[in-house]
Amino acid sequence: MIKVDVYQDQSDVVYGFRMEGHAGYADAGEDIVCAAVSALVINTINSIEAFTEDTFRNAVHEEKDVVTYSITSRPVGQAAQLLLKSLVLGLKGIEHEYGKQYIKVKIKRKQEV
């Protein structure tokens, strides 16, 4: 299962996420849930880098199947916020369509760091 923790502050500003695992929907190379999630995450990260002035940190731990991402600039820009909320919308859509046995998205409210 893919687990996604979306980090949101007390003002509902999304500023990052942590994703881990594999969906297990199908064999490696044929898993459309993993492919869809990967495409959304990679496109969001690349779009924030290409189209915004926001700074961020991210880490990919391939052997542990973990991706972490966090906007470090404050306040989070409107464009980055829109892209992150679009990511959450897409991930929740996949969760709804394919089921929580393959992907689980949780919103975690935290104080800004």
Side-chain angles (χ1 to χ4, degrees), residues 2-15:
I2 298 171
K3 296 178 184 177
V4 184
D5 291 333
V6 176
Y7 302 120
Q8 192 173 55
D9 70 15
Q10 300 301 320
S11 300
D12 295 332
V13 173
V14 177
Y15 63 88

Side-chain angles (χ1 to χ4, degrees), residues 34-113:
C34 274
V37 170
S38 294
L40 285 172
V41 168
I42 292 167
N43 189 63
T44 299
I45 292 169
N46 289 342
S47 294
I48 291 171
E49 183 174 20
F51 302 127
T52 78
E53 297 298 319
D54 290 274
T55 57
F56 60 89
R57 67 175 174 261
N58 69 311
V60 177
H61 303 284
E62 291 182 26
E63 60 278 352
K64 294 183 180 181
D65 301 322
V66 175
V67 175
T68 58
Y69 183 87
S70 182
I71 299 288
T72 56
S73 54
R74 294 293 186 266
V76 176
Q78 288 182 329
Q81 187 58 198
L82 179 62
L83 290 164
L84 285 167
K85 286 186 176 187
S86 179
L87 170 66
V88 173
L89 179 68
L91 293 173
K92 285 185 173 186
I94 294 168
E95 178 185 61
H96 178 76
E97 183 70 26
Y98 290 94
K100 291 185 179 192
Q101 69 268 34
Y102 301 112
I103 178 172
K104 188 172 283 189
V105 180
K106 289 184 182 179
I107 304 297
K108 298 211 170 192
R109 294 196 189 277
K110 292 187 172 188
Q111 295 288 345
E112 283 192 60
V113 184

Side-chain angles (χ1 to χ4, degrees), residues 22-36 98 102:
H22 286 285
Y25 183 79
D27 292 335
E30 298 180 11
D31 194 323
I32 59 174
V33 174
C34 274
Y98 290 94
Y102 301 112

